Amino acid sequence: MRKIKEYFIMKKIEKYSSENSIKIENKTRKKIPKLLITYIILGILIIGTNYKYQNKLYFTISISSYFGILILNLLIIKIQKVINKGKISKLYLLDENDKKIKKWDIKKHNSLLIGKNTEDNQVDIDLSDVQYSLLVSRAHAVLNKNDSGWYFEDVGSSNGSGIKKNNENERFKIYPGEIHKLEQGDILFIANTKLLVK
């Protein structure tokens, strides 16, 4: 009977899991935005050119163009932030104090399998090195994306899954086969392991 159950779980996982594994970033480094460097160099060139030729008309046109392009790019960045607000793009592994200790970028994926990597089973979100990894099933849960957002489903794990919705104090159990829509700020419980949806 167990072999039959495993067969159906693997079929379900094959349906949902993606072929490409996720790149994990354990440490996020702050980088100077390329756009800022471009504007600094452009400003230096405008001032340098004006100093060389000392042409007031050229300088006025150059500075006006410079600030016009700068304002336009800042508006585009702001519009992109508004458009992307509320869209899920990352998962964070949380420790016992809810500190982020690992990050997965998921925005380019449509389906992800959560579990533990083994020789026979490759997952997208590998939790084999977490503190409570013994409680995580090899194929624990799946995340699926469609036009209306991301959805979470337990695929028959041994120790279960749960969700704590954003701005709510209690978590609730997810039963195999139930599909739940996710929002930014939700916390997924993979047995005792916490994943923050952002």
Side-chain angles (χ1 to χ4, degrees):
M1 188 70 174
R2 182 160 174 81
K3 292 281 185 192
I4 295 170
K5 182 179 177 185
E6 285 179 6
Y7 172 78
F8 283 112
I9 288 172
M10 291 312 293
K11 283 295 178 189
K12 193 172 206 177
I13 290 163
E14 285 173 13
K15 178 181 173 186
Y16 291 124
S17 102
S18 61
E19 294 176 356
N20 300 326
S21 61
I22 287 208
K23 294 179 181 174
I24 299 170
E25 298 175 25
N26 287 326
K27 294 181 181 177
T28 55
R29 285 177 273 162
K30 293 184 179 178
K31 296 180 182 178
I32 298 172
K34 291 179 183 177
L35 186 63
L36 179 63
I37 293 170
T38 303
Y39 280 113
I40 290 170
I41 292 169
L42 185 60
I44 291 169
L45 288 173
I46 290 170
I47 292 169
T49 305
N50 184 57
Y51 179 76
K52 183 177 179 182
Y53 295 108
Q54 295 183 353
N55 185 333
K56 289 183 181 178
L57 179 62
Y58 171 78
F59 181 72
T60 305
I61 292 170
S62 299
I63 289 295
S64 300
S65 301
Y66 174 76
F67 283 110
I69 293 168
L70 177 65
I71 290 167
L72 181 64
N73 277 310
L74 291 174
L75 282 172
I76 290 169
I77 290 168
K78 183 70 175 174
I79 290 167
Q80 286 175 338
K81 284 183 180 179
V82 169
I83 290 170
N84 291 328
K85 188 177 181 181
K87 289 188 178 178
I88 294 169
S89 62
K90 294 177 182 62
L91 280 181
Y92 291 95
L93 176 65
L94 301 178
D95 66 8
E96 293 172 347
N97 300 316
D98 291 340
K99 181 182 173 187
K100 298 173 185 172
I101 55 176
K102 191 182 277 189
K103 176 176 88 170
W104 292 271
D105 188 0
I106 65 171
K107 64 185 166 198
K108 294 181 181 176
H109 297 270
N110 291 319
S111 185
L112 302 162
L113 175 62
I114 302 171
K116 293 191 292 192
N117 276 336
T118 63
E119 289 180 12
D120 302 329
N121 186 51
Q122 293 296 307
V123 298
D124 301 300
I125 307 294
D126 182 21
L127 300 177
S128 55
D129 60 348
V130 299
Q131 183 177 1
Y132 300 107
S133 64
L134 292 175
L135 300 174
V136 177
S137 298
R138 289 179 300 153
H140 201 104
V142 290
L143 293 171
N144 293 302
K145 181 172 74 170
N146 64 22
D147 292 339
S148 62
W150 281 94
Y151 293 84
F152 178 75
E153 180 182 355
D154 187 291
V155 290
S157 63
S158 301
N159 293 300
S161 303
I163 293 181
K164 181 180 170 223
K165 297 301 284 179
N166 188 21
N167 298 324
E168 291 184 14
N169 294 326
E170 294 183 23
R171 76 178 191 187
F172 59 91
K173 184 175 174 70
I174 302 294
Y175 294 96
E178 291 181 354
I179 299 172
H180 292 272
K181 186 167 189 201
L182 298 176
E183 297 172 357
Q184 281 192 347
D186 290 350
I187 296 177
L188 304 176
F189 289 85
I190 309 299
N192 287 357
T193 302
K194 294 189 279 187
L195 297 174
L196 173 65
V197 177
K198 276 293 184 182

